Amino acid sequence: MCDEPKIDNSTQEPMNCTNHTAYVQCLPAPNITCKDHLGVEKVFTGHEVGFYKPIACRNVNGYSYKVAVALSLFLGWLGADRFYLGYPALGLLKFCTVGFCGIGSLIDFILISMQIVGPSDGSSYIIDYYGARLTRLTITNATFRKMQSYP
């Protein structure tokens, strides 16, 4: 039986999140006998920690999703959204061109709302609830691509 993760109210992520992983305590059921790597048997009573279960968490650095969407909606034509997210060159370009005549502002609003554009440091947004989030699927060199065979 594993504990629920303790959630940090300011980031809405599990506490002690490092390298996208946090750990929660797990208590084996009473009268469970386990052998360790040396062959020593241990009988659990149900009150001691048997192991720590890793759970996934997100790296956040203080960028709020609500603030980013609001800046994009109301001040996107001035580039405030891109300045906030850490893209000063694009922010200045949007400022000088009045949001690429409004089209760039609309595109940025859609991209930020869908969480495709995030903070420049690679961290995730702080979202005001703990629960399901968007997960972006990517293909990298570490991803295996299987060739399709046709019958």
Side-chain angles (χ1 to χ4, degrees), residues 147-151:
M147 297 299 294
Q148 292 184 352
S149 59
Y150 296 100

Side-chain angles (χ1 to χ4, degrees), residues 70-113:
L71 284 173
S72 184
L73 181 63
F74 297 113
L75 297 174
W77 58 277
L78 291 174
D81 52 351
R82 290 296 186 147
F83 281 113
Y84 175 72
L85 292 175
Y87 301 99
L90 286 173
L92 186 61
L93 190 60
K94 280 179 69 175
F95 178 77
C96 292
T97 60
V98 189
F100 301 110
C101 298
I103 294 175
S105 298
L106 176 64
I107 292 170
D108 269 355
F109 175 71
I110 292 169
L111 293 177
I112 291 171
S113 296

Side-chain angles (χ1 to χ4, degrees), residues 7 15 18 22 27 39 43 45 48 53 58 66 69-70 76 80-81 101 106 109-110 121 130 133 144 148:
I7 305 302
M15 291 186 176
T18 54
L27 307 173
V43 178
T45 63
E48 65 265 60
K53 176 182 171 186
R58 294 175 181 229
K66 289 192 316 187
V69 170
D81 52 351
C101 298
L106 176 64
F109 175 71
I110 292 169
D121 62 0
Y130 178 73
R133 309 256 172 99
F144 178 75
Q148 292 184 352

Side-chain angles (χ1 to χ4, degrees), residues 5-16 60 126-127 130:
K6 292 176 179 50
I7 305 302
D8 185 358
N9 287 332
S10 62
T11 63
Q12 291 300 307
E13 290 296 326
M15 291 186 176
N16 301 323
V60 293
I126 294 175
I127 300 179
Y130 178 73

